[in-house]
Amino acid sequence: MQPVTIIAGPRDRFSVTERWLDNLFATTPGAGDLHRVIFVAGGAPQHLRDRWTSRFGDRVEFVLRDDFVNQPQVRNIGLAMADTELSVLADNDCYPRAGWLEAMVRCQQETGAVMVSPLILQKPDEIHCAGTDLYKNVRDGKEFGHKYLRFYKMPYNEGSNLTRSPIDYGELHLELVETKATIELEAFDEAIPEVGEVDSGLAWAKGGRTMYFEPEAVVHFDLRGHIDEDDIEFFAWRWDFDSVAAGYRHFYDKRGFDVTEEDAFSGFLLDYNAYVGQLARRHPSATTLRIGHLAKKLGDGASLAPKLLRDEYRRRVNGAKHRSLSD
């Protein structure tokens, strides 16, 4: 099998990195030897950096910066270091299953795809997406883009009849890409911290390249997994309303259509941000994080934030979007 550079970094949590690396080495023959492994992270607590390098420093090249870095930055840093024809781009909360890399490389060789996306599960037996499409709709003279995740929430077991097929983009959780073409086509725009998967798909398509879904490569995206005290500040930075809204504005200016899914994204941001909660954001600790989780379980979706504050968040997200898209 040809060598591949495996580039990974945190999606929104530092605490799952050791678990991810353990899984990588358990499911990927040649990782850290035949296949170079690069892990890029910014702003991780020193005690985590020390553990990572102590446990994996002989098999992983760590690029550890002081300031937080987003997903496109992770990918661009790693791609600039890559010395192989193909690279894997992965988040540290997406766990591959045995045979994943061989299946993705085989698909790339047989199709000539610039990017291959695996079957992504969000539970051990539930599909997150089995390929993806970009659907466009026009409302009141404005063009809107919608992400369509094929077979979303459908049950999955080995032996399903899913088949390899072309796609419009790939979810960023894990992808196999042609290194040189991805760099030359500037597939990862660092000004787009969210919905970069659509932007990269458009970049590859503009370059005349195809993308494919490969069902024999299976990975498990740990949707809404455990958040640790060490993750609070990075999680809050990653999902900051204003920076995400600015990224959507940049996408609109660059691509000429609105990809906020006709405002559906603001509801997602509100709900997902509530996973940490305001108390833990203001006073980061294991205790405030537990209090926020308890409040959420008891039914307060914003984790101790009053309705007025929830409404203000929604106004900020929608307001930023509407202001930026009407300039």
Side-chain angles (χ1 to χ4, degrees):
M1 182 179 175
Q2 70 184 92
V4 171
T5 302
I6 300 172
I7 301 162
R11 177 173 178 260
D12 51 29
R13 290 177 288 164
F14 297 127
S15 60
V16 296
T17 297
E18 289 180 78
R19 176 188 168 195
W20 188 86
L21 287 168
D22 282 332
N23 179 82
L24 175 71
F25 291 118
T27 61
T28 315
D33 182 15
L34 173 64
H35 307 303
R36 184 180 178 190
V37 180
I38 300 172
F39 191 89
V40 182
Q46 188 62 48
H47 72 96
L48 290 183
R49 300 187 195 196
D50 293 342
R51 284 214 320 250
W52 298 344
T53 54
S54 175
R55 287 200 59 203
F56 304 102
D58 59 336
R59 292 174 289 174
V60 178
E61 297 174 54
F62 288 99
V63 180
L64 303 176
R65 301 193 171 184
D66 292 333
D67 296 328
F68 293 145
V69 293
N70 61 27
Q71 287 170 296
Q73 289 172 326
V74 166
R75 284 152 173 76
N76 288 336
I77 291 168
L79 286 167
M81 297 173 61
D83 56 1
T84 53
E85 177 187 350
L86 301 177
S87 294
V88 168
L89 308 174
D91 292 336
N92 69 343
D93 57 0
C94 187
Y95 302 93
R97 294 186 177 179
W100 70 281
L101 184 56
E102 296 87 342
M104 295 184 80
V105 171
R106 184 167 58 250
C107 176
Q108 194 282 327
Q109 292 175 335
E110 293 174 357
T111 64
V114 70
M115 185 275 290
V116 177
S117 180
L119 169 62
I120 302 176
L121 307 178
Q122 60 185 25
K123 293 180 181 178
D125 59 355
E126 181 180 283
I127 294 174
H128 180 67
C129 66
T132 39
D133 299 291
L134 178 61
Y135 167 72
K136 290 185 178 180
N137 182 45
V138 177
R139 176 168 58 86
D140 298 329
K142 177 178 283 188
E143 189 175 35
F144 292 86
H146 294 259
K147 299 196 308 176
Y148 179 74
L149 308 183
R150 300 177 190 168
F151 300 96
Y152 178 63
K153 289 191 175 181
M154 296 289 285
Y156 171 77
N157 296 99
E158 291 184 15
S160 75
N161 66 345
L162 294 171
T163 58
R164 180 187 295 175
S165 57
I167 54 178
D168 289 332
Y169 68 92
E171 287 284 283
L172 293 180
H173 307 295
L174 190 146
E175 301 171 307
L176 177 78
V177 305
E178 282 191 10
T179 306
K180 183 179 179 181
T182 299
I183 294 172
E184 290 178 348
L185 294 171
E186 300 181 333
F188 296 104
D189 189 329
E190 297 179 6
I192 303 177
E194 179 58 11
V195 86
E197 62 269 34
V198 175
D199 186 65
S200 62
L202 292 169
W204 284 315
K206 186 177 180 180
R209 304 302 305 275
T210 57
M211 296 154 273
Y212 269 82
F213 158 67
E214 175 50 61
E216 293 187 15
V218 182
V219 301
H220 176 205
F221 162 45
D222 187 16
L223 178 67
R224 304 201 179 218
H226 174 74
I227 293 178
D228 191 85
E229 178 182 2
D230 290 323
D231 303 322
I232 295 172
E233 293 182 56
F234 179 54
F235 186 98
W237 177 85
R238 164 66 176 86
W239 295 105
D240 175 73
F241 291 118
D242 293 332
S243 64
V244 171
Y248 275 86
R249 171 182 180 172
H250 179 71
F251 182 99
Y252 182 86
D253 292 340
K254 178 179 181 179
R255 299 297 183 186
F257 67 94
D258 185 323
V259 76
T260 62
E261 301 184 274
E262 301 190 51
D263 200 31
F265 93 102
S266 63
F268 164 79
L269 281 177
L270 184 69
D271 179 64
Y272 199 63
N273 267 284
Y275 197 50
V276 164
Q278 287 306 302
L279 185 62
R281 277 175 162 78
R282 295 173 180 174
H283 307 284
S285 72
T287 299
T288 55
L289 191 60
R290 284 196 297 269
I291 292 172
H293 288 168
L294 177 60
K296 186 170 176 58
K297 287 180 180 178
L298 292 175
D300 185 349
S303 301
L304 299 185
K307 182 179 184 301
L308 181 61
L309 186 56
R310 297 201 303 270
D311 291 343
E312 170 63 12
Y313 278 165
R314 194 178 297 277
R315 185 196 66 77
R316 286 174 57 198
V317 173
N318 293 342
K321 174 179 73 69
H322 292 311
R323 286 196 303 275
S324 63
L325 299 186
S326 61
D327 287 345

